[in-house]
Amino acid sequence: MRVGICAKMKRLINAIFATLLFALLAVGCATRNQYVTVEGYMLGTTFRIVAKTELSQSEIYAEAMAVDTLAKSSMSIFNPNSLISKINAGQCDTLDIHLIRNIAVAARMYRLSEGYYDITVKPLTDAYGFAKKQKIEHPNVDSLLQFVGFEKFSVVGSRIVKSDNRLQLDLNSLAKGYTVDLLADRLEGLGCCDYIVEVGGEIRTSGLSPRGGVWRVGVDTPFEGNQSPGQYQQAVIELSDKALATSGNYRRYYTDNEGNKIVHTINPRSGKGVVSTLLSATVVAPRCVEADAMATMFMAMGTQRAVELATALKDEGVEVYFIIAEGESYRIFSTLTNQQ
């Protein structure tokens, strides 16, 4: 009888132990696989990551800083020791994989836009004071245009060949989106399936948000003087497994001595700031480097050309949300399937 009681007690204790062990394991897994939010600064702007992961905040932050270091050492025109700065100064002609990839994307945008998108506009952006340079009051545009033109350089293997050594590249219109992709790819390599990565307003998403649904991203209302991203929103776009980027001229501009507003989007054909009713171009694409480049491309093209090209690109998985000035109000052109 005693043996029977002992056996029963032993089975009961084992059952309780197994239940407790399962509960502890479940709690441990839940703790390690929660949504983590990491914020900070990279590329001279803010970044934010929300990811469902087993990694700690410090581990994700370290990944972001590693990507930041890589991007600045390769693509930053503000870092005098970066590879692109050395290439622009004629000190080097060997490209790394990141510059090669960015130039390939830029080449496609150049062709799609028939020359309105051009990464050789650096002499012009410098002259107008948009690359942290002292602006020239009356730049000689004609003299600068002789160093502008995508056709004036080529890539041979991993070398850049310039027709004139004074030609310079400016990847600011897509490098931030490319950096978002680098960071997102790192997260995926570490097992993250549900995340949003945002760097200075450029975004890439995957899977589900903490609410269990798709990610929701706001588009700012483009009124002059709106320097508060996220405070005034024109629309909300739903995203999953896609990237988004927005370009607009209502924040980055200055007024010259004659009272003219000089915007940061430069027409590489005329060498002057773009004059257009297109106030803001938001692009949704598979990767952020494409969305980033296309947003600038559409702004440079002007309203009519941008609308025509965006309509044609709908079949390629590219969607847009354009805010267009119309008198004292706005009108919207959108090819999006998920917006509110």
Side-chain angles (χ1 to χ4, degrees), residues 68-76 79 81-84 96:
D68 181 54
T69 298
L70 185 155
K72 287 177 178 175
S73 66
S74 173
M75 302 173 288
S76 174
N79 176 7
N81 297 315
S82 70
L83 180 56
I84 195 171
D96 65 10

Side-chain angles (χ1 to χ4, degrees), residues 22 28 54 56 72 99 108 134 165 168 171 186 189 194 200-201 219 227 304 316 322:
F22 177 80
E54 296 182 1
S56 66
K72 287 177 178 175
L99 295 182
R108 179 170 180 253
Q134 182 67 38
N165 200 43
Q168 300 181 69
L171 299 179
R186 281 209 179 200
D194 303 289
V219 177
Q227 302 294 333
Q304 183 176 344
E316 297 185 21
F322 292 164

Side-chain angles (χ1 to χ4, degrees), residues 32-197:
R32 293 197 309 270
N33 202 21
Q34 294 286 341
Y35 280 93
V36 174
T37 300
V38 178
E39 298 176 316
Y41 293 89
M42 61 188 301
L43 301 185
T45 186
T46 59
F47 81 87
R48 186 170 188 264
I49 300 168
V50 179
K52 189 176 183 182
T53 178
E54 296 182 1
L55 301 173
S56 66
Q57 287 180 312
S58 60
E59 288 172 321
I60 294 178
Y61 184 81
E63 292 293 333
M65 292 301 96
V67 170
D68 181 54
T69 298
L70 185 155
K72 287 177 178 175
S73 66
S74 173
M75 302 173 288
S76 174
I77 61 172
F78 305 115
N79 176 7
N81 297 315
S82 70
L83 180 56
I84 195 171
S85 292
K86 292 177 181 178
I87 288 170
N88 284 342
Q91 300 170 359
C92 176
D93 65 358
T94 302
L95 305 166
D96 65 10
I97 187 61
H98 308 294
L99 295 182
I100 291 172
R101 290 172 179 169
N102 277 274
I103 291 171
V105 173
R108 179 170 180 253
M109 302 307 157
Y110 176 77
R111 294 190 298 269
L112 280 174
S113 67
E114 298 180 343
Y116 280 93
Y117 178 92
D118 196 322
I119 58 172
T120 66
V121 294
K122 190 173 186 300
L124 295 167
T125 56
D126 284 354
Y128 288 118
F130 289 117
K132 297 185 178 180
K133 302 286 186 179
Q134 182 67 38
K135 69 176 181 288
I136 299 172
E137 291 301 330
H138 299 287
N140 188 333
V141 173
D142 290 337
S143 67
L144 295 174
L145 282 174
Q146 65 180 311
F147 310 124
V148 175
F150 204 98
E151 73 285 351
K152 294 176 182 178
F153 79 96
S154 61
V155 176
V156 180
S158 61
R159 292 181 59 246
I160 184 170
V161 180
K162 304 178 185 179
S163 61
D164 189 307
N165 200 43
R166 290 170 290 182
L167 182 138
Q168 300 181 69
L169 305 182
D170 183 344
L171 299 179
N172 279 0
S173 59
L174 70 167
K176 191 163 58 173
Y178 180 78
T179 303
V180 169
D181 287 331
L182 284 179
L183 189 46
D185 290 344
R186 281 209 179 200
L187 290 177
E188 291 185 4
L190 293 168
C192 296
C193 298
D194 303 289
Y195 63 77
I196 185 169
V197 174

